[in-house]
């Protein structure tokens, strides 16, 4: 293989640089595997070269010859330089196979000896490059790799393009990368083959930027990561440089100010900024200081020649048109950040002072006034506090938190409220916005200096809140908080409310949780804290509902008494949430959907991220119950995305997404998500969600055809709920799944015991849908015991009741069980298809794709059995296989892959692999090929 010297490195790049590149790599790999070529394009620093090196390393291993060049701007004027990089080392290998005229022209161009030019030797050179590539390809596949295509010299581009257009089926693949800063990439295609696929390398999203920074060891708060993502616009090079600068700078940016821009990035834009006039530069500084400046705002801020000055900046590529309106917008956020970072402190204050009077929005005016003011100022602090309250009412908690920190900075130490009170309110706003790291840091700062009990307890509560479900991490906080609270009932109520959560999440004790919540409600009432009293009553009501406790309705009634607190009504742990949980567990699905939809709309208006994640899960759960699997999948995925972006509720969202994927999406993804939720719940010591995660894993395994695995997970869910003290089967609704899985593994007595125990609780609590599902499972037990008539009647009744209650997916599952029984065969290949028509219709209506695939697998005609010659011992071995083993072996004989077998038999790929292992052992063979040979050798002719 001919390789350029600078290509003799491993080519394997750091795995963290490939974060967020799955889509681009997948498209490129698919194109290259077909023998095509790829053009990677995108702006500078976006990661094109990383993807290029990865592809070159992967496909270079299968190529005999790899030709590579990487152009530079300073050398782009030199003709034939890129061609010399590509073919220089291969010249000796191919020159003897070229006609004399072509060889002379090519040698002259590549070595610089002679006066070869495109004008003088144009045809000979073009044909020489084409002939050289064909000569190399005649000995084996050729891979051409070219980076920074924008700097390729014109002559090399023309010659490559001529050859590429005429290669035809010659085994030459090309992987190129070129910069496109908002420009078209068509001009690059002239150097590549006609079938080249253009693949854009896109910016990273916020989660990917956070992952990239964490891989590099930059442990930054989520609020800072958000700013890095915004300033870098998702460009990984810029994000890493900003992260490095922040990690090296011990002083974090001041509230309200943009990130400091390192010199390495300033250099990218300062050369263009230097071409601006002084007045234009001052105008752009006002633009960078503003939130969404317009020409009218610039005029009001004293920039009288704003039109001409912004036009000058636009001509230099510093500004770009705003597609959403008349705002003046920078071409890239980094330009704004670099301009602001380069300005002096006095210049910045002057820009903010001008905007503090020009801006029409009171929030913006207050922010600019704060940034224009040096030192403390009670009047400025008061205006900032008012602006923070306004932002809070508008549903912008992130803005409210930033304004609160500015208020703290400008508040004198002896003022009322004092700086720490502003900081604590800012931390609480940060929690609402999902900025948990920021909130925790603020609380720690307050704890380090405050001696006021109320402030300290409030700060401790913030630390506990930011731990989320991982409350084992803050166990040491509770004694300190109780000591600070003394005998103040208001402060004690706050702590006992958190102790109720600890009892539930860490101890897994619903009874203790209920007692602590009731105690918190009593303390809050005694202290006159109606907000905390309502929160505690709501939590007590939810706990009693999940326990199946008879006092739940009375507690809900108490929590609904006036006076109410609007914040509690829509809080994810408030009375609205408790009422929703009661409705959905009581089979009142339409009212449950209306309730959760209203709650979700309101928390989105308020900007409460944690409540939004929680209510998205509630809506997804409701849609699943109703049998709207497609809708449920969309909402569950959104909940998981927001949860992962903010780090809030990831275990619960992964669990719900697993249920949705198993019902209406991808079973393999469902299994992965369920396992993830189980692992994280175990790591966090979160016993409440561990039981639900195990139930989700059991359901996903049941859908995947792994009945033994389903039994294992669902038994564990049963144990956990028993230990938690949960008696209401409507909480997890895993009982029918466990009974069905037990039937499939032949444990009929245990299946009946699960049904009997669960039925007793469901009858006591009036859980009609649970009773219908249990009847469906009991019918399967009866069918397995040889009572088909009783089973048919019970299944038909269960299906009818589930339909009336509005449980679309459960209704379809009853129809499937009925079809399997009527067909007279367990799940698997059968000749009967008519009994499955109703089940298929219902699953299609629900968009329950995994279940629909199961129906399709059940109605695939079984292959006609071939008569076997009863001579060899192998025949007896084939007959001795279990039913599932015979089905798998039969599909192997048809040439089906493991994944195809899994789809047709509705089992997992791992189950197929395990089954084949048993087949090999029983037949004394080693591979799939041996199965085919064995069967073919004993068929009659």
């Amino acid at each position: 293989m001919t390789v350029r010297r600078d290509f003799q490195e491993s080519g394997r790049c750091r795995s963290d640089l490939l974060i967020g590149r799955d889509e681009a790599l997948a498209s490129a790999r698919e194109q290259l595997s077909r023998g095509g070529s790829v053009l990677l394009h995108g702006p500078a620093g976006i990661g094109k070269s990383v993807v290029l090196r990865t592809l070159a390393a992967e496909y270079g291993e299968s190529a005999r010859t790899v030709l590579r060049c990487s152009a530079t701007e300073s050398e782009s004027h030199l003709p034939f330089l890129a061609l010399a990089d590509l073919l220089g080392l291969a010249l000796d290998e191919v020159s003897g196979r070229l006609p004399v005229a072509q060889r002379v022209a090519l040698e002259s161009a590549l070595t610089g000896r002679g006066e070869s030019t495109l004008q003088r030797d144009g045809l000979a050179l073009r044909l020489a490059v084409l002939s050289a590539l064909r000569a190399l390809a005649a000995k084996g596949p050729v891979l051409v790799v070219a980076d920074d295509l924008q700097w390729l010299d014109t002559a090399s581009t023309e010659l490559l393009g001529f050859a590429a257009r005429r290669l035809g089926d010659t085994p030459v693949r090309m992987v190129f990368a070129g910069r496109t800063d908002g420009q078209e990439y068509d001009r690059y295609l002239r150097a590549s083959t006609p079938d080249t696929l253009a693949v854009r390398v896109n910016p990273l999203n916020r989660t990917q930027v956070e992952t990239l920074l964490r891989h590099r060891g930059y442990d930054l708060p989520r609020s800072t990561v958000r700013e890095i993502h915004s300033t870098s616009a998702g460009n990984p090079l810029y994000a890493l440089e900003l992260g490095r600068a922040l990690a090296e700078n011990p002083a974090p940016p001041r509230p309200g100010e943009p990130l400091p821009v390192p010199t390495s990035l300033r250099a990218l834009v300062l050369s263009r900024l230097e071409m601006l006039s002084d007045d234009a530069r001052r105008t752009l500084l006002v633009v960078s200081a503003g939130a969404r400046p317009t020409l009218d705002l610039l005029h009001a801020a004293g920039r009288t020649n704003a039109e001409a000055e912004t036009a000058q900046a636009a001509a230099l590529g510093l500004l770009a048109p705003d597609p959403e309106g008349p705002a003046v917008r920078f071409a890239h956020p980094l330009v704004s950040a670099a301009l602001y970072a380069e300005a002096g402190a006095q210049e910045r204050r002057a820009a903010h002072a001008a905007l503090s009077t020009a801006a029409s929005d009171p929030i913006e005016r207050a922010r600019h006034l704060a940034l224009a003011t040096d030192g403390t100022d009670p009047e400025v602090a008061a205006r900032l506090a008012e602006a923070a309250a306004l932002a809070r009412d508008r549903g912008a908690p992130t803005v409210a938190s930033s304004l609160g920190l500015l208020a703290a900075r400008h508040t004198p130490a002896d003022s009322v409220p004092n700086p720490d009170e502003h900081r604590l309110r800012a931390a609480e706003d940060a929690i609402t916005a999902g900025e948990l790291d920021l909130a925790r840091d603020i609380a720690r700062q307050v704890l380090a200096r405050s001696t006021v009990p109320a402030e300290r307890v409030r700060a401790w509560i913030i630390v506990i809140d930011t731990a989320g479900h991982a409350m084992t991490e803050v166990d040491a906080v509770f004694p300190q908080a109780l000591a600070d609270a003394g005998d103040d009932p208001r402060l004690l109520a706050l702590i006992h409310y958190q102790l109720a959560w600890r009892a539930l999440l860490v101890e897994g004790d619903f009874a203790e949780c209920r007692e602590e919540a009731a105690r918190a409600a009593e303390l809050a009432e005694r202290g006159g804290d109606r907000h905390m009293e309502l929160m505690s009553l709501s939590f007590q009501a939810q706990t009693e509902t999940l326990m199946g406790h008879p006092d739940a309705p009375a507690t809900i009634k108490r929590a609904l008494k006036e006076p109410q607190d609007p914040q509690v009504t829509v809080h994810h742990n408030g009375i609205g949430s408790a009422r929703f949980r009661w409705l959905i567990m009581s089979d009142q699905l339409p009212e449950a959907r209306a309730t959760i939809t209203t709650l979700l709309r309101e928390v989105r208006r308020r900007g409460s991220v944690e409540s939004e994640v929680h209510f998205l899960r509630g809506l997804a759960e409701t849609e699943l119950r109703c049998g709207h699997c497609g809708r449920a999948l969309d909402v569950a995925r959104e909940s998981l995305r927001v949860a992962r972006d903010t780090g809030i509720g990831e275990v619960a969202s992964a669990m719900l997404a697993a249920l949705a994927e198993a019902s209406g999406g991808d079973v393999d993804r469902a299994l992965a998500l369920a396992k993830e939720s189980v692992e994280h719940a175990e790591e966090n010591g979160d016993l409440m969600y561990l039981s639900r995660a195990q139930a989700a894993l059991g359901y996903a395994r049941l859908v995947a055809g792994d009945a033994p695995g389903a039994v294992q997970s669902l038994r564990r869910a049963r144990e956990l709920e028993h230990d938690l003290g949960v008696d209401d089967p409507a909480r997890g609704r895993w009982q029918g799944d466990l009974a069905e899985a037990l039937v499939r593994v032949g444990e009929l007595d245990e299946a009946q015991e699960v049904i009997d125990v669960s039925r007793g609780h469901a009858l006591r609590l009036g859980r009609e849908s649970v009773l219908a599902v249990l009847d469906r499972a009991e019918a399967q037990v009866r069918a397995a015991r040889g009572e088909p008539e009783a089973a048919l009647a019970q299944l038909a009744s269960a299906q009818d009741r589930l339909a009336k209650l509005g449980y679309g997916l459960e209704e379809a599952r009853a129809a499937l069980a009925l079809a399997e029984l009527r067909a007279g065969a367990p799940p698997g290949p059968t000749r009967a298809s008519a009994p499955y028509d109703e089940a298929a219709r219902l699953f299609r209506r629900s968009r329950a794709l995994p279940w629909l695939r199961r129906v399709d697998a059940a109605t695939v005609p079984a292959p006609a059995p071939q008569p076997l010659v009863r001579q060899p011992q192998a025949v007896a071995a084939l007959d001795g296989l279990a039913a599932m083993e015979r089905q798998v072996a039969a599909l192997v004989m048809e040439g089906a892959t493991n994944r195809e077998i899994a789809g047709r038999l509705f089992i997992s790929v791992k189950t197929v692999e395990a089954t084949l292992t048993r087949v090999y052992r029983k037949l004394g063979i080693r591979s799939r090929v041996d199965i085919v040979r064995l069967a073919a050798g004993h068929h009659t002719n």
Side-chain angles (χ1 to χ4, degrees), residues 61 107 118 138 373 408 456 522 609 616 682 767 867:
E61 294 174 358
E107 288 177 348
L118 277 179
T373 304
R456 291 186 61 79
E522 178 195 349
V609 175
L616 280 170
E682 288 175 337
R767 304 303 190 220

Side-chain angles (χ1 to χ4, degrees), residues 235-520:
N235 186 299
L237 173 64
Y238 300 169
L240 285 171
E241 285 296 298
L242 290 166
R244 180 183 58 77
L246 284 165
E248 293 174 354
N249 185 0
R254 300 173 76 182
E257 294 187 352
L259 297 177
V261 180
T263 306
S264 58
L265 293 184
R266 290 191 207 181
L268 296 174
V269 294
L270 288 181
S271 58
R272 282 183 286 174
L273 289 173
E274 289 171 357
M275 300 171 68
L276 290 171
S277 66
D278 289 343
D279 283 342
R281 188 162 178 159
R282 279 192 283 270
T283 295
L284 285 198
L285 179 59
V286 176
V287 174
S288 71
R292 192 173 172 79
T294 62
L295 288 173
D296 289 342
L297 179 65
L298 292 175
H299 288 149
R303 309 311 303 168
T304 54
N305 295 320
E307 286 90 348
E309 290 160 356
T310 54
Q312 181 189 359
L316 292 171
L318 295 168
L319 296 178
D322 190 333
E324 299 180 4
V328 179
R329 186 172 69 88
F330 283 98
H332 193 283
L334 188 64
V335 178
S336 174
L339 177 65
Y340 192 92
E342 193 68 14
Q346 188 172 350
E347 289 180 295
R348 295 183 197 176
R349 283 197 293 270
H352 286 296
L355 288 168
S356 70
T357 57
S360 59
D361 185 80
I363 292 177
E364 276 300 290
R365 287 201 302 271
R367 184 178 76 87
H368 289 302
L369 179 61
L371 295 173
T373 304
D374 196 16
T376 60
D377 187 320
E379 185 178 343
V380 172
R383 288 184 59 180
L384 285 164
E386 292 171 3
L390 180 58
R392 205 173 294 124
D393 290 341
R394 289 181 181 178
T398 299
V399 175
S401 178
S402 176
L403 291 168
L405 291 175
L406 283 171
R409 194 174 98 192
H410 289 286
T411 299
D414 56 353
S415 293
V416 178
N418 64 37
D420 281 340
E421 290 182 73
H422 287 303
R423 291 187 183 95
L424 289 169
R425 192 67 183 93
E428 289 160 355
D429 286 328
I431 289 177
T432 301
E435 303 290 355
L436 304 186
D437 292 343
L438 175 61
R440 188 184 303 112
D441 289 345
I442 296 170
R444 297 287 187 193
Q445 292 171 20
V446 172
L447 287 166
R449 57 174 166 259
S450 177
T451 58
V452 180
E455 291 177 1
R456 291 186 61 79
V457 170
R458 198 169 159 193
W460 287 126
I461 297 301
I462 290 169
V463 172
I464 294 169
D465 273 340
T466 57
H469 284 201
M471 295 193 77
T472 53
E473 297 176 2
V474 291
D475 264 352
V477 165
F478 288 99
Q480 300 176 72
L482 286 168
D484 284 329
D487 56 0
D488 187 328
R490 291 175 65 95
L491 300 181
L492 288 170
L494 297 174
I495 301 168
H496 282 282
Y497 178 78
Q498 296 293 343
L499 284 169
W501 276 106
R502 185 189 180 282
L504 183 61
L505 298 176
V506 179
E507 302 297 335
D509 191 331
F510 270 75
E512 184 182 348
C513 170
R514 175 177 175 268
E515 290 176 8
E516 287 287 1
R519 186 176 181 188

Side-chain angles (χ1 to χ4, degrees), residues 172-187:
V172 176
R173 289 179 292 185
M174 298 179 171
V175 186
F176 293 167
R179 183 183 302 175
T180 49
D181 292 309
Q183 306 166 18
E184 294 297 326
Y185 55 81
D186 295 357
R187 59 194 178 97

Side-chain angles (χ1 to χ4, degrees), residues 35 130 132-138 140-142 163 166-173 193:
L130 177 60
L133 291 174
R134 283 175 173 166
L136 291 170
V142 175
R166 289 162 178 80
L167 285 170
D169 295 333
T170 306
V172 176
R173 289 179 292 185
T193 57

